[in-house]
Amino acid sequence: MQHIRNFCIIAHIDHGKSTLADRLLEHTKTISDRDMQAQVLDDMDLEREKGITIKSHAIQMDYTHKDGKKYAINLIDTPGHVDFSYEVSRALAACEGALLLVDASQGIQAQTISNLYLALENDLEIIPVINKIDMDGAKIPEVTDQIVDLIGCKPEDIILASGKSGIGIEDIMTAIIDRIPAPKGDPEAPLQALIFDSVFNSFRGIIAYYRVLNGSIKKGEKVKFVHTGNEYFADEVGVLRLGLEPRKEVKTGDVGYIITGIKNAKDVKVGDTVTTSVNPTTEIVKGFEEVKPMVFAGIFPVETDDFEELRDCMEKLQLNDASLTFEPETSQALGFGFRCGFLGMLHMEIIQERLEREFNQTVITTVPNVSFKAYTTREPEVALIVNNPTEMPDPSRLDRIEEPFIRAQIITLPDYIGNIMSLCLGKRGILINQHYLTPTRVELIFELPLAEIVFDFYDKLKSSTRGYASFDYQPLDYRESDIIKMDILLNAEKVDALSALIHRSRAQDFGRKLCAKLKELLPRQQFMIAIQAAVGAKIIARETISAMRKDVTAKCYGGDISRKRKLLEKQKEGKKRMRQIGSVDIPQEAFLAVLKLDE
């Protein structure tokens, strides 16, 4: 155990975590030159296309230290985007130390600070690294001062490195061995292992990744998953290299995998404890806190018959992404589907793309919203959780509604303070604090309603600061607010999938824009379509799509005007009947249009 080190790399998005991980793998010859490619640990097509890490990736490296001793080093590369912070928190639970990476040209950003706090909560040893020191815009002295202020370390403790050219890699490896403590645990105690991730393999079932805290796990042994109480035989155990490397035994302090032939996704839970059936542990490992979804949206199959298939796909996806939560729901417009909870808009977009690519599921996503608390006049003390506009109680019985607030932390250059102020105050934000980290970096703390940042806040923040702002948030509490339900009617019929819960002050503007957008997107029919936005019985906006007309009088030439009038009257009657029985098909773009109203 003295020769094992477990660490992860944490940083703000795009500060070079995956590139540095590539250099570490090259340096320790874990990966051959033939297999080497950029971002080698990012194995999803989506990750490569978007240039972001979505999943944490674990891999073991062998390293010979200067003193000639051999060490097994387990590295976990983590995502940087705020939407995937749950992945980071799980990776930290499996480590004793963390490399805190800061871009030499960008300096400390919001996600750097929030990831640092996550690491400190887990009592990890922090090794600060300034990355990209060979770039033209590198501001090494400034960034060094920022790190010293933030962590309180000595300037000489900070390692200067470049993931691109490989500068400082040997220093990082030495620091990992010297500074990060070896894992603690009792090899003789009963087995106690914490599951921190799992993947689904269509041939071998579910592969669970775990960190052994006490005892050891042997091939062929009977193991028990404490959360479900089920027992299985360990068909294969081993460590995580670039692929899976089988071993006879995985010992205390190691990070490994287990294959037991489990096929049902519900039988493996991230954060569960694995122990042996013969000599079970009495203590359950304190896993991770349950994930709190921030954004809710409905996901429905295009064909209602595909509902069961979509359920299977969602369960397999949940194995790979533990922060996804879902439950069945029905909609009048879309039939059977799922109400899903996501950590943010990017997370929602990624899930939708993965369903299409990995499982060939084309889905319709409804308008995202957040969960509110509603109190009725009958029971003013009992809160009803409203995740969906259809769950909203009748307005006549409503006492009050509370909406979730977040604490937003924005770090930017002083030039953009005015733009950020106007953006946040326009979103009903409250300025709490303004603090200069250095003369050129200012930290703004706002309290904002979560509903206001769900749609386009992040994009607007980036555009109003030319990309020089970083953003991070934590949930706060629920506060009373004037929230109303806005319905969209097509020919006087409600489309529940387009309903939204919105603040009263924004309802009219939002309704007008949405009706105008739907007018562009809905195909014209043989009959007139009225698009209306309504709050209760009051119509607040309206657009009309005129009917496609066929010239029925074309075959009338000459003769009396009454012949033409007779044909037009007949057509008018037909249109009227058609309007009564005709239904309006809503294309998928219409549901997504709501997200892009301001473009």
Side-chain angles (χ1 to χ4, degrees):
M1 260 169 58
Q2 291 307 312
H3 294 168
I4 296 175
R5 297 288 183 272
N6 298 316
F7 78 100
C8 61
I9 307 178
I10 53 175
H12 188 80
I13 190 166
D14 218 16
H15 279 204
K17 293 176 293 303
S18 299
T19 312
L20 185 73
D22 291 352
R23 294 296 84 74
L24 293 173
L25 295 175
E26 264 182 357
H27 186 73
T28 54
K29 299 193 169 46
T30 304
I31 187 163
S32 64
D33 294 342
R34 190 179 65 182
D35 293 333
M36 194 62 211
Q37 53 179 357
Q39 283 98 33
V40 70
L41 292 178
D42 293 350
D43 49 13
M44 240 184 278
D45 294 343
L46 261 178
E47 292 181 312
R48 297 186 167 284
E49 277 170 36
K50 292 183 181 287
I52 56 174
T53 304
I54 294 167
K55 285 283 302 161
S56 296
H57 300 273
I59 189 165
Q60 191 177 74
M61 310 181 282
D62 290 328
Y63 175 67
T64 308
H65 196 36
K66 292 176 197 162
D67 56 11
K69 289 180 184 164
K70 282 195 171 177
Y71 287 85
I73 299 176
N74 293 306
L75 149 71
I76 302 181
D77 178 27
T78 65
H81 197 282
V82 59
D83 278 15
F84 305 112
S85 55
Y86 189 61
E87 288 285 327
V88 181
S89 71
R90 301 209 321 264
L92 293 172
C95 297
E96 278 83 29
L99 292 185
L100 181 73
L101 222 59
V102 181
D103 186 325
S105 58
Q106 305 264 352
I108 283 177
Q109 293 188 287
Q111 200 59 30
T112 318
I113 296 175
S114 77
N115 283 341
L116 170 70
Y117 288 150
L118 275 175
L120 291 174
E121 276 170 31
N122 285 313
D123 293 336
L124 299 197
E125 180 64 39
I126 307 288
I127 300 176
V129 178
I130 298 180
N131 194 21
K132 306 189 185 180
I133 58 164
D134 52 352
M135 278 180 67
D136 295 341
K139 299 175 284 201
I140 298 169
E142 281 179 45
V143 178
T144 305
D145 292 344
Q146 287 176 21
I147 295 175
V148 171
D149 285 349
L150 182 67
I151 317 180
C153 62
K154 297 184 186 125
E156 55 269 21
D157 290 345
I158 300 170
I159 300 170
L160 302 181
S162 165
K164 192 173 171 191
S165 52
I167 303 166
I169 298 300
E170 183 59 43
D171 297 343
I172 291 174
M173 294 306 294
T174 308
I176 289 166
I177 303 292
D178 296 343
R179 295 197 216 169
I180 294 176
K184 296 180 177 66
D186 181 0
E188 303 305 318
L191 170 67
Q192 192 185 38
L194 173 71
I195 296 180
F196 66 89
D197 206 354
S198 56
V199 290
F200 182 80
N201 181 307
S202 46
F203 301 106
R204 313 201 62 181
I206 289 161
I207 304 172
Y209 297 159
Y210 55 82
R211 156 81 195 276
V212 184
L213 300 173
N214 289 307
S216 64
I217 187 165
K218 298 182 183 72
K219 184 180 174 180
E221 206 168 25
K222 199 171 189 186
V223 294
K224 179 179 178 181
F225 286 70
V226 177
H227 180 77
T228 55
N230 295 341
E231 298 186 350
Y232 306 94
F233 285 102
D235 298 339
E236 183 177 311
V237 297
V239 293
L240 302 160
R241 292 292 177 131
L242 194 57
L244 303 175
E245 194 172 283
R247 295 273 169 94
K248 289 223 169 59
E249 183 178 19
V250 180
K251 298 178 179 166
T252 310
D254 254 336
V255 173
Y257 71 92
I258 180 169
I259 299 175
T260 54
I262 301 173
K263 289 284 189 284
N264 188 353
K266 292 191 177 69
D267 292 345
V268 175
K269 191 174 184 331
V270 167
D272 196 0
T273 306
V274 182
T275 185
T276 51
S277 302
V278 183
N279 184 12
T281 179
T282 47
E283 277 181 60
I284 295 177
V285 185
K286 290 281 181 287
F288 328 100
E289 53 193 71
E290 283 292 317
V291 59
K292 292 190 193 78
M294 292 284 181
V295 177
F296 294 88
I299 286 187
F300 293 84
V302 176
E303 297 291 329
T304 321
D305 303 348
D306 298 341
F307 173 71
E308 283 304 324
E309 196 182 330
L310 179 62
R311 185 200 290 272
D312 286 349
C313 298
M314 295 286 275
E315 284 179 355
K316 286 172 188 167
L317 193 55
Q318 193 178 31
L319 272 178
N320 201 260
D321 184 350
S323 50
L324 169 69
T325 57
F326 63 91
E327 56 188 42
E329 78 160 354
T330 52
S331 153
Q332 292 165 353
L334 301 170
F336 291 104
F338 295 98
R339 188 87 196 147
C340 303
F342 308 98
L343 295 182
M345 291 296 282
L346 177 69
H347 186 209
M348 176 176 141
E349 191 186 316
I350 295 289
I351 292 289
Q352 200 176 337
E353 288 236 4
R354 286 184 69 185
L355 280 170
E356 286 191 15
R357 290 184 184 207
E358 293 172 29
F359 302 103
N360 290 330
Q361 288 288 320
T362 312
V363 292
I364 293 174
T365 314
T366 63
V367 185
N369 61 3
V370 299
S371 60
F372 297 90
K373 284 184 179 174
Y375 296 86
T376 55
T377 45
R378 192 177 297 164
E379 297 176 283
E381 285 79 45
V382 182
L384 299 169
I385 302 291
V386 179
N387 288 334
N388 187 338
T390 51
E391 295 169 3
M392 187 82 151
D394 190 312
S396 59
R397 294 194 297 112
L398 201 59
D399 182 45
R400 66 187 191 281
I401 291 186
E402 293 179 352
E403 66 173 329
F405 267 69
I406 56 152
R407 176 192 155 94
Q409 175 193 36
I410 299 167
I411 297 180
T412 185
L413 303 178
D415 312 5
Y416 303 116
I417 292 176
N419 295 1
I420 292 174
M421 290 276 193
S422 53
L423 171 65
C424 292
L425 297 175
K427 298 275 187 188
R428 300 189 283 131
I430 307 156
L431 179 65
I432 300 298
N433 193 5
Q434 181 176 334
H435 166 61
Y436 278 83
L437 299 169
T438 67
T440 55
R441 297 186 84 71
V442 62
E443 177 189 52
L444 299 166
I445 306 283
F446 283 93
E447 287 184 0
L448 284 156
L450 181 59
E452 295 284 347
I453 68 156
V454 163
F455 289 125
D456 53 2
F457 180 81
Y458 195 60
D459 297 343
K460 282 188 173 171
L461 179 69
K462 284 288 181 201
S463 56
S464 63
T465 58
R466 299 188 190 162
Y468 279 108
S470 59
F471 169 68
D472 186 48
Y473 63 84
Q474 287 92 29
L476 275 177
D477 52 6
Y478 281 79
R479 299 179 190 175
E480 194 171 335
S481 193
D482 190 7
I483 299 290
I484 51 172
K485 178 184 173 190
M486 189 186 79
D487 292 308
I488 296 292
L489 311 176
L490 293 182
N491 281 349
E493 278 192 25
K494 281 185 188 175
V495 182
D496 58 352
L498 286 173
S499 298
L501 294 170
I502 192 164
H503 195 265
R504 192 181 297 273
S505 60
R506 288 191 55 208
Q508 196 150 3
D509 184 41
F510 185 73
R512 205 173 290 133
K513 282 182 182 169
L514 186 51
C515 289
K517 194 81 174 177
L518 287 173
K519 184 180 179 180
E520 289 171 29
L521 290 167
L522 293 180
R524 282 176 73 188
Q525 306 282 358
Q526 296 278 342
F527 51 90
M528 186 184 82
I529 304 170
I531 306 167
Q532 295 167 311
V535 173
K538 184 183 175 190
I539 304 294
I540 54 171
R542 173 180 171 131
E543 294 283 347
T544 308
I545 300 177
S546 54
M548 286 197 292
R549 296 211 174 273
K550 182 181 172 192
D551 189 0
V552 287
T553 58
K555 59 179 185 266
C556 270
Y557 47 92
D560 189 14
I561 185 69
S562 59
R563 289 179 62 199
K564 284 189 178 182
R565 197 167 288 143
K566 189 175 165 188
L567 284 170
L568 287 169
E569 285 298 323
K570 194 174 171 188
Q571 184 190 32
K572 196 170 163 188
E573 281 299 312
K575 295 262 184 215
K576 195 172 168 186
R577 196 163 65 250
M578 197 186 270
R579 187 177 168 184
Q580 285 167 356
I581 59 167
S583 64
V584 184
D585 279 339
I586 306 171
Q588 160 73 357
E589 294 83 55
F591 297 106
L592 297 176
V594 186
L595 314 184
K596 304 186 175 79
L597 274 185
D598 290 338
E599 289 178 10

